Amino acid sequence: MHLGELNDVRQQQHCRSHDDQARPEFPPDPVFQPGIRRAPSRGFHLTPDQTKIALRNALRYLPPELHEKAAPEFLEELRTFGRIYAYRWRPAGHLKGRPIDEYEGRCTEGKAFQVQIDNNLDFDVALYPYELVTYGETGSVCHDWLQYRLIKKYLEQLTEDTTLVVMSGHPLGLFPSRPEAPRVIITNGLMVGRFDNQDDWELSEELGVANYGQMTAGGWMYIGPQGIVHGTFNTILNAGRLQLGVPDDGDLSGVLFVSSGLGGMSGAQPKATEIAHAVGIIAEVDMSRIQTRLDQGWVGHVSEDLDEVFALAQKHIAERTPISIAYHGNIVDLLQYAVDHDIDIPLLSDQTSCHAAYDGGYCPQGLSFEQRTELLAVDRDEYRRRVDATLRKHFELVRTLTERGTYFFDYGNAFMNAIYESGVTEIAKDGDSRNGFIWPSYVEDIMGPELFDYGYGPFRWVCLSGRHEDLVATDQAAMSCIDPDRRGQDRDNYIWIRDAESNDLVVGTQARILYQDAKGRVAIALRFNEMVRNGEIGPVMLGRDHHDVSGTDSPFRETSNIKDGSNVMADMATQCFAGNAARGMSLVTLHNGGGTGIGNAINGGFGLVLDGSERVDAVIRSGLLWDVMCGVARRGWARNEHSVETARAFNQESPQGHITLPYLVDDEVIDKVVPQ
């Protein structure tokens, strides 16, 4: 199939010669709706020869009759935006994840994936929808609109006997397969080691041969910011329990939490803060992102006046009432104010997109958002210098606050690594980032030992019918599968799903997130599939954030609590991906970068469409179990105490499986042979 007639959305799979086709038409000029956020220019860095390659790469999606007309337009996009987005081929209007029955397709999975793709590009969901960026400044569904069109056409033709292969946004084609195999296999940005760095990736992205899928953007399973609300809620609540003495059945009433970022996933912070009953101040330089959260009701107050911000916060701290406050300004200015006025900040974090610090993810101090965007376009080197200077100042302020008693944790957005790369080597233990950093990531201190090591992670589902009543029914079904008295984690998750409806978390498709372990995920999934089989609900797509127990190898985030030296290995994510494919998940994905940037992580994910069949029941029992226990096993082998406990229980309960357990060595034995 090619894109000879992309303007005709009813185009059938290509099986004719060019001579047999009607002359393709050039689509009309694109129309951009006012008020929709646009990505900044990514910069133009190609040589003349490389520019020719980039044009050839884009034009190979179009028949020769359109080349002469499209070539200068593509060149202009490349020079202006640093990418060929092929705006002219974007479908007109507001894309949304519509009910599954409104999509063309020859199998349920093909239609389900179309729902997910369009949801990722919804104006209400995506960060830069016209540039196909879902979240995280650069996390894309695919590289350009030509790829989007062709992917959609292939999904319409997908059958139970074929598999679609997608490489960095490029649909390689449909290949003969079988019903038990994945319907789609996706890889994004998998650079060969020698070239696995930001500069070489940038070159490949400009050439049109690489795509930064983030995790669930390029994996077609983003469910809007609620996907991270649960994780943020768990993180700050457990931080309070571990660091501030909050009781296990208590909340964060009267506790101040300060962070930054109100974009795609970081926009979850004010909502999570209020659910935890804390007082939250979140800094954001982009007023449009603040406005989005105001319109959603996910942030309670906004101000540019730090006197007002902290006075309001102190009032609610004293009253022990929750509030979320958006500070329209730079987080460095806010922290400087806190230092100068000796303000107590018990919990401090950061969720700016530091994996893309030099691409606009981190705004230099002293620049407005508009000035940031302009500087990005005209002088990348100066922008980089200003980012580095601000990161160094940010570091000094955090260090001052932690010395005064603040508990700071990196939320896994590459903040500390960005500081390290700005030249502040003292942020790394012994000056080497391989050893980790002087402050913990949220996984290292909180999520890892309290959740991931047991197998708890961000289990997600989408009710593909689009009916809200289906979502309510699945909430009730999931709640019935949880024993709140089993563990404290189960109690927290039971309360979460019990209150999910009243917390009004849905943005985009009718979706939900619920942290669960292997046993919980399998039980809930089987119940959902039974409900589909009985006609109680329409089809459901399961997935997870790739930020999970076993989906991601990332020494600065997901595997930061791996202490046996394997935190820099990517075997787990790759094996998780391969195992999910072998067990028949509907969609499997493998990405470079995730939320920590190119070269800093490998992410493996999946999607499973529940159609009510007995075949899917079998996939649930084997695939979902593997998807979780792969990570538990690796964490147990790294001698993580709770993972060893969980693996030992698995060995006792599983008639077929068995996880390798480590022999533990007495510290005295090691100290005798390796003296300090």
Side-chain angles (χ1 to χ4, degrees):
M1 190 186 299
H2 64 58
L3 300 187
E5 295 176 320
L6 270 178
N7 55 300
D8 181 1
V9 297
R10 298 166 299 175
Q11 170 191 338
Q12 300 299 308
Q13 183 174 9
H14 172 65
C15 59
R16 300 173 294 169
S17 70
H18 291 297
D19 294 337
D20 294 331
Q21 294 182 10
R23 183 172 180 83
E25 295 180 2
F26 208 59
D29 291 345
V31 177
F32 300 96
Q33 183 174 314
I36 303 300
R37 280 188 298 272
R38 302 293 304 280
S41 169
R42 304 304 185 189
F44 177 66
H45 312 94
L46 303 182
T47 67
D49 284 344
Q50 290 167 339
T51 301
K52 291 178 181 178
I53 294 173
L55 289 173
R56 289 191 182 96
N57 288 347
L59 291 169
R60 61 186 164 183
Y61 289 98
L62 298 174
E65 299 94 319
L66 298 182
H67 288 181
E68 189 170 353
K69 197 169 183 179
E73 185 170 298
F74 287 174
L75 179 60
E76 181 62 25
E77 286 186 10
L78 185 60
R79 286 174 170 167
T80 303
F81 304 108
R83 302 283 187 274
I84 297 173
Y85 293 114
Y87 289 117
R88 186 177 295 277
W89 277 269
R90 179 189 181 275
H94 185 171
L95 296 176
K96 288 179 177 287
R98 295 175 281 119
I100 189 171
D101 291 341
E102 295 183 16
Y103 287 89
E104 295 182 34
R106 299 170 66 182
C107 67
T108 303
E109 292 92 339
K111 293 190 286 184
F113 303 149
Q114 293 180 67
V115 176
Q116 300 298 98
I117 289 172
D118 284 351
N119 184 66
N120 276 11
L121 297 169
D122 187 331
F123 287 160
D124 297 329
V125 173
L127 178 61
Y128 302 128
Y130 286 115
E131 288 74 36
L132 301 107
V133 174
T134 303
Y135 62 84
E137 202 61 37
T138 53
S140 303
V141 171
C142 53
H143 182 274
D144 55 67
W145 291 105
L146 295 171
Q147 291 183 348
Y148 166 89
R149 287 275 194 153
L150 189 51
I151 289 169
K152 292 277 289 207
K153 299 314 300 180
Y154 274 129
L155 291 176
E156 290 175 1
Q157 300 297 321
L158 190 69
T159 70
E160 291 186 345
D161 297 308
T162 57
T163 293
L164 172 62
V165 177
V166 182
M167 294 184 178
S168 278
H170 169 63
L172 199 68
L174 292 177
F175 294 87
S177 186
R178 54 192 175 86
E180 294 79 16
R183 299 279 69 78
V184 176
I185 299 174
I186 300 172
T187 54
N188 274 304
L190 299 180
M191 313 287 293
V192 173
R194 179 174 180 146
F195 303 95
D196 195 9
N197 58 76
Q198 188 67 30
D199 290 340
D200 281 302
W201 172 82
E202 174 68 35
L203 177 64
S204 298
E205 181 83 347
E206 285 189 62
L207 289 172
V209 297
N211 182 64
Y212 191 69
Q214 271 274 9
M215 298 181 187
T216 53
W220 307 345
M221 191 59 190
Y222 188 58
I223 63 168
Q226 77 153 303
I228 202 67
V229 173
H230 196 355
T232 305
F233 165 78
N234 270 328
T235 300
I236 61 175
L237 187 59
N238 280 289
R241 291 168 176 169
L242 294 169
Q243 302 295 326
L244 308 178
V246 173
D248 288 347
D249 60 351
D251 56 35
L252 298 184
S253 296
V255 174
L256 176 62
F257 169 63
V258 173
S259 187
S260 59
L262 286 173
M265 291 197 292
S266 61
Q269 293 184 108
K271 185 72 171 179
T273 299
E274 291 196 2
I275 294 173
H277 287 267
V279 174
I281 303 174
I282 316 298
E284 172 59 65
V285 294
D286 182 358
M287 188 61 203
S288 74
R289 301 185 191 191
I290 295 175
Q291 191 61 53
T292 296
R293 303 309 165 206
L294 284 170
D295 294 343
Q296 289 173 339
W298 280 30
V299 69
H301 188 82
V302 60
S303 175
E304 297 181 346
D305 185 336
L306 286 169
D307 289 333
E308 179 187 358
V309 166
F310 279 101
L312 184 60
Q314 291 299 331
K315 175 178 180 293
H316 282 267
I317 290 169
E319 295 173 352
R320 297 179 62 82
T321 53
I323 188 175
S324 57
I325 307 166
Y327 166 60
H328 182 211
N330 198 297
I331 181 63
V332 176
D333 293 331
L334 186 151
L335 296 182
Q336 185 69 65
Y337 183 99
V339 168
D340 294 345
H341 292 79
D342 200 24
I343 294 171
D344 178 33
I345 301 178
L347 300 177
L348 175 64
S349 189
D350 183 88
Q351 279 199 40
T352 48
S353 296
C354 284
H355 67 278
Y358 306 119
D359 286 323
Y362 187 87
C363 184
Q365 189 181 22
L367 294 182
S368 68
F369 182 73
E370 292 73 24
Q371 291 168 330
R372 154 267 198 193
T373 303
E374 183 180 357
L375 186 59
L376 262 175
V378 300
D379 194 340
R380 265 306 175 87
D381 291 339
E382 177 62 18
Y383 187 85
R384 179 182 288 265
R385 285 191 289 272
R386 292 198 183 197
V387 165
D388 286 344
T390 305
L391 283 167
R392 291 190 286 268
K393 181 63 177 290
H394 202 156
F395 167 75
E396 294 294 340
L397 290 167
V398 173
R399 181 163 63 178
T400 298
L401 289 165
T402 57
E403 289 171 350
R404 295 179 182 180
T406 294
Y407 175 67
F408 173 82
F409 58 94
D410 187 338
Y411 206 80
N413 58 340
F415 172 71
M416 287 191 289
N417 187 57
I419 289 174
Y420 179 80
E421 292 181 346
S422 76
V424 185
T425 57
E426 61 192 288
I427 197 172
K429 294 175 181 176
D430 300 323
D432 185 349
S433 63
R434 183 178 175 126
N435 300 326
F437 299 107
I438 61 174
W439 299 312
S441 82
Y442 74 121
V443 172
E444 191 172 7
D445 259 18
I446 305 166
M447 298 288 276
E450 296 300 313
L451 292 165
F452 290 172
D453 284 356
Y454 289 99
Y456 292 95
F459 183 56
R460 298 174 171 184
W461 65 90
V462 177
C463 295
L464 296 166
S465 68
R467 296 190 299 265
H468 185 70
E469 53 264 37
D470 280 11
L471 184 62
V472 173
T474 57
D475 284 347
Q476 294 298 316
M479 190 165 60
S480 72
C481 295
I482 300 172
D483 177 6
D485 298 321
R486 177 179 173 231
R487 289 191 184 119
Q489 295 93 330
D490 294 293
R491 182 188 61 249
D492 288 346
N493 294 329
Y494 181 88
I495 293 170
W496 169 269
I497 196 66
R498 181 196 68 190
D499 298 341
E501 177 71 10
S502 61
N503 283 325
D504 192 22
L505 298 167
V506 172
V507 180
T509 52
Q510 297 295 317
R512 188 68 77 217
I513 181 172
L514 173 62
Y515 271 60
Q516 282 292 286
D517 65 351
K519 185 178 293 185
R521 298 187 208 197
V522 170
I524 292 169
L526 287 171
R527 177 72 183 104
F528 287 179
N529 201 42
E530 181 184 31
M531 293 167 72
V532 176
R533 185 159 51 244
N534 295 338
E536 299 171 52
I537 58 174
V540 173
M541 183 166 169
L542 300 182
R544 58 165 169 79
D545 194 337
H546 303 203
H547 144 74
D548 197 1
V549 180
S550 57
T552 301
D553 288 298
S554 177
F556 306 134
R557 187 161 71 176
E558 286 83 356
T559 47
S560 58
N561 73 320
I562 301 292
K563 304 297 186 181
D564 68 346
S566 68
N567 60 322
V568 300
M569 307 301 291
D571 295 290
M572 179 178 68
T574 308
Q575 288 281 2
C576 186
F577 161 84
N580 283 337
R583 289 165 176 82
M585 294 293 198
S586 306
L587 176 149
V588 290
T589 67
L590 192 67
H591 306 310
N592 182 0
T596 55
I598 287 293
N600 293 319
I602 297 293
N603 300 279
F606 79 90
L608 178 62
V609 177
L610 308 185
D611 60 6
S613 67
E614 298 290 341
R615 179 186 67 81
V616 168
D617 278 350
V619 177
I620 290 170
R621 292 189 178 97
S622 63
L624 283 190
L625 185 70
W626 158 255
D627 188 70
V628 177
M629 297 309 297
C630 167
V632 171
R634 186 266 183 93
R635 293 168 184 276
W637 188 242
R639 298 182 291 273
N640 290 14
E641 180 182 358
H642 297 315
S643 289
V644 172
E645 295 170 8
T646 305
R648 188 173 287 118
F650 173 86
N651 289 345
Q652 294 171 350
E653 297 169 1
S654 176
Q656 296 175 299
H658 191 276
I659 292 172
T660 308
L661 295 173
Y663 290 109
L664 303 181
V665 184
D666 192 304
D667 289 344
E668 290 186 6
V669 174
I670 304 298
D671 294 340
K672 282 181 183 179
V673 296
V674 188
Q676 296 293 323

